[in-house]
Each structure stands twice: as structure tokens, then as C-alpha cells.
Amino acid sequence: IGFIKGISDSPESFSGGFFKVEKVMKTLFVKKLYLWPRFHMTVTASLKDNNIDLVELKQTMTTGLAGVQTAIVDSMDACLVEIRKSNKVDTSELTMESALLMSFDAVIRRQLAPVWNKVGVKTKQLVEDLKTLRKLLGFVAEYDAVTFLDLLDNLRTSLQSDTGH
């Protein structure tokens, strides 16, 4: 019986989601999991003994894709400006930098939770739009152009069916 060694730059990603570690273990057919930090003696010795050959490839973004990315960021900024106008949110945490982080949804929900029933429909929609736009921003770099366009078409279709237009 063999074993699998793995190194992760973002081990916290294993804790996010629903049974994330269990799904990874099941996919890899692993029954036992040992998590050690990089400074653990065994890990440090293994990294020193086995030089890792890393080949990093970087694909530059096309002009069109950069334009899509800029448009999404501009849309996110416009949503933030509108949310700031609602006066129900602490604006110190409503920056473009914080809006790019995954924890932003939790931050804004926590701020709005006590007054959620008093928040207008427009503000609630803006919060959801920010969440969708942040996901789209990640998908711009992750997906190829055809897959991204298909995602946008599906999103537009679902929005049209929700609003009845």
C-alpha cells in the first residue's frame, strides 16, 4: 500500500465548503490524513532532500479579456458606491480591496444582519450582485473564452427568467 504526499500553499482552502477534506480524500482513495506544517521536522527534511523542480507558465491576458476584467471591476466599484449610500453599513470596510476577498460576503452580511429586514430591495440586490461579480472576476482568469461566454449566457438567461423580462 502506497501513500501520497502533497504540499499546499493554501491549506485553509481544505476547511472551506461542505466536507471539503473528505471529498479530496475520497477522490484520491486515501483513508488516513496527516496534516503537518512546513516547519515540522519530517516535512523540512523531506523538502531539503528532494528538490522540487517547478516550472511556472504564465499566459498573458488578451486585450479583450483585460477589458472584460476591467468592466467587472468597474461594476463592482459602482455597486460599492451604491451600497455606501444606504447608510446602513460601516463604510470603512467597503473598499475595492476588501470586495475582492472571499470573506467580504461574510463581512457585509454581518453588518447588515441586525437591520436586514429594514434594508431596501436595491441594497440586497447590490450585495448579491457583488457576490456574483466577484465570482465572475475569478472565472475570467480560470475559464477559457468559450466556457466563460457560456457561463455569461446562462447567467443572463437565469436573470431574465427571474425578472420575467
Side-chain angles (χ1 to χ4, degrees):
I1 297 176
F3 61 92
I4 298 173
K5 285 185 186 180
I7 298 173
S8 176
D9 285 334
S10 61
E12 64 276 356
S13 65
F14 286 114
S15 64
F18 190 66
F19 294 119
K20 194 104 176 220
V21 172
E22 289 85 352
K23 287 180 182 177
V24 171
M25 290 174 64
K26 188 175 182 178
T27 302
L28 296 173
F29 301 103
V30 175
K31 294 183 184 202
K32 293 182 183 179
L33 176 69
Y34 301 99
L35 299 174
W36 293 331
R38 288 186 184 215
F39 57 83
H40 190 275
M41 289 177 17
T42 308
V43 175
T44 304
S46 180
L47 289 174
K48 284 182 182 176
D49 292 343
N50 303 313
N51 289 333
I52 298 172
D53 293 330
L54 176 67
V55 177
E56 189 171 337
L57 303 174
K58 184 177 178 183
Q59 179 75 26
T60 57
M61 203 176 278
T62 64
T63 308
L65 203 52
V68 169
Q69 187 180 44
T70 302
I72 292 173
V73 170
D74 290 345
S75 299
M76 289 177 71
D77 196 35
C79 287
L80 284 173
V81 167
E82 289 297 316
I83 290 174
R84 283 188 203 112
K85 291 179 184 177
S86 76
N87 296 329
K88 301 213 185 308
V89 190
D90 176 19
T91 59
S92 65
E93 294 183 9
L94 287 183
T95 63
M96 193 60 208
E97 291 79 18
S98 67
L100 295 173
L101 302 174
M102 295 295 284
S103 61
F104 181 76
D105 293 333
V107 169
I108 198 160
R109 291 266 186 200
R110 186 176 54 246
Q111 285 186 15
L112 290 174
V115 292
W116 188 252
N117 58 339
K118 296 177 186 175
V119 173
V121 175
K122 181 179 177 183
T123 303
K124 290 178 181 179
Q125 185 61 52
L126 287 167
V127 170
E128 286 302 313
D129 289 347
L130 268 174
K131 184 178 178 181
T132 302
L133 287 167
R134 189 172 24 72
K135 286 181 182 178
L136 285 175
L137 192 60
F139 293 151
V140 165
E142 186 178 334
Y143 292 165
D144 62 279
V146 174
T147 305
F148 187 73
L149 179 61
D150 189 42
L151 174 73
L152 290 177
D153 286 340
N154 289 335
L155 182 62
R156 183 177 50 205
T157 302
S158 70
L159 288 174
Q160 287 174 347
S161 66
D162 288 347
T163 60
H165 294 108

